[in-house]
Amino acid sequence: MSAEYANARRRAMEPCERSEDASAPLGWAESAAAWITDMGEEGDYGRACVLDRPMLERIHGRRFATALDVGCGEGRFCRMLQVAGISTVGIDPTEELLGQARRRDPKGDYRIGRAEALEFPDRSFDLVVSYLTFIDIGDIERAVAEMARVLRPRGTLLIANLTSFATAGADGGWQPHADGRLRFCIDHYLDERAEWVSWRGIRVKNWHRPLCRYMTLLLGAGLTLTHFDEPAPNSGDADSADRYRRVPWFLLMEWEKTADQQPRV
Ligand SMILES: C[S@@+](CC[C@H](N)C(=O)[O-])C[C@H]1O[C@@H](n2cnc3c(N)ncnc32)[C@H](O)[C@@H]1O
């Protein structure tokens, strides 16, 4: 195995590795300590060096007063929104992560909650954020409807997610080819499914859904797409940047609430 191959394989496994290790943590509560360590203060590579900058560019100068961060985890993006002058509420079902959010931001508003049943009145927020949480949410249909419901008219839903190409990666995605090089393989693209993935002591279930599943739900919720991006790395080490450029890893979407949800007939 060439050094390049070994290195690429190790790096490639970081974001998404199937785990057969029965002693690995199971789910968000058990993975919380490793997640908090992994995030640190700055966030992991994908956040600090790829997503944070374009996410904040969508926010600056927009006069959002209130924001809901759905699946806020340990609260890093809530803290960043507050620096931008926005009053935030973060919800998350994982108490262990919310505890850390409260420790880091004692005056912040962090509540136990699930995307599928948001405990807020209709039209409560100027901005709703889902920062790499669509992949974690089981009932995405209910969750999208709920995010749209709590947005005020003309409010913004800002989403960062793993691309559906990335989540369709077969056995972690990177596979050696005949020439010895690794290439990213996807399989069963159209089949919605949840799979256990693990990296650096974290083991959680992630959902793969084809892109049309998300787009259909968002369009059906009375939202209009106003911005779409596949952000490139903007900082960090060259090796990681190369890996994140080879595969469509992240997407960023901004949707505007242009109509209230209609009851289904
Ligand atoms: C990949 S982490 C992202 C955390 C944070 N948004 C960030 O970017 O650092 C996914 C988060 O989604 C949360 N989560 C899992 N299921 C959820 C659900 N049904 N509704 C809302 N959040 C959920 C997890 O507890 C976890 O904090």
Side-chain angles (χ1 to χ4, degrees):
M1 192 185 335
S2 71
E4 181 203 2
Y5 172 83
N7 193 32
R9 180 87 182 150
R10 180 175 55 74
R11 283 185 284 120
M13 296 302 265
E14 283 177 18
C16 179
E17 174 182 347
R18 278 171 192 264
S19 174
E20 307 304 332
D21 177 4
S23 67
L26 208 60
W28 276 108
E30 286 192 40
S31 298
W35 176 261
I36 288 164
T37 302
D38 204 49
M39 285 296 113
E41 282 289 340
E42 305 295 325
D44 58 5
Y45 179 88
R47 288 169 175 76
C49 301
V50 186
L51 285 172
D52 282 353
R53 186 187 291 178
M55 287 288 278
L56 290 172
E57 280 171 4
R58 304 312 305 168
I59 283 157
H60 284 143
R62 298 280 296 280
R63 299 188 185 166
F64 298 121
T66 56
L68 173 67
D69 187 357
V70 178
C72 63
E74 50 69 63
R76 200 183 61 94
F77 202 63
C78 279
R79 298 191 291 278
M80 295 174 91
L81 291 172
Q82 288 167 31
V83 170
I86 300 171
S87 168
T88 64
V89 181
I91 68 112
D92 200 285
T94 308
E95 185 62 60
E96 292 79 356
L97 294 174
L98 284 183
Q100 180 70 358
R102 294 185 188 114
R103 278 189 290 280
R104 284 194 160 140
D105 176 18
K107 292 188 178 157
D109 188 343
Y110 299 98
R111 308 180 192 184
I112 280 284
R114 303 189 76 83
E116 295 92 333
L118 296 173
E119 293 181 0
F120 303 97
D122 298 357
R123 307 175 174 202
S124 293
F125 297 96
D126 300 335
L127 172 68
V128 172
V129 174
S130 167
Y131 198 142
L132 295 181
T133 61
F134 268 30
I135 43 172
D136 288 276
I137 294 169
D139 187 344
I140 195 66
E141 185 167 356
R142 272 254 44 90
V144 167
E146 282 291 88
M147 291 181 200
R149 180 183 66 77
V150 302
L151 267 180
R152 68 158 171 76
R154 306 208 75 85
T156 294
L157 172 58
L158 184 60
I159 300 165
N161 202 31
L162 290 181
T163 69
S164 300
F165 308 112
T167 56
D171 294 327
W174 295 102
Q175 304 292 335
H177 279 240
D179 62 3
R181 297 212 62 200
L182 288 174
R183 294 195 175 77
F184 196 87
C185 297
I186 69 173
D187 206 355
H188 299 293
Y189 177 79
L190 287 178
D191 299 338
E192 186 165 336
R193 59 191 179 273
E195 291 182 337
W196 288 102
V197 293
S198 71
W199 69 103
R200 294 190 289 273
I202 300 157
R203 189 181 185 217
V204 294
K205 220 172 216 183
N206 271 183
W207 282 89
H208 163 71
R209 302 177 177 102
L211 183 59
C212 67
R213 172 84 164 125
Y214 293 120
M215 302 306 267
T216 302
L217 291 176
L218 290 157
L219 291 166
L223 301 166
T224 300
L225 183 65
T226 55
H227 180 78
F228 185 91
D229 194 10
E230 294 171 299
N234 52 57
S235 57
D237 65 282
D239 277 0
S240 298
D242 180 54
R243 174 162 57 86
Y244 277 78
R245 291 189 74 86
R246 285 189 65 188
V247 173
W249 208 258
F250 295 127
L251 60 75
L252 191 157
M253 299 191 282
E254 185 178 315
W255 295 79
E256 183 179 306
K257 180 170 176 175
T258 43
D260 265 320
Q261 284 169 286
Q262 299 298 316
R264 297 196 162 209
V265 287

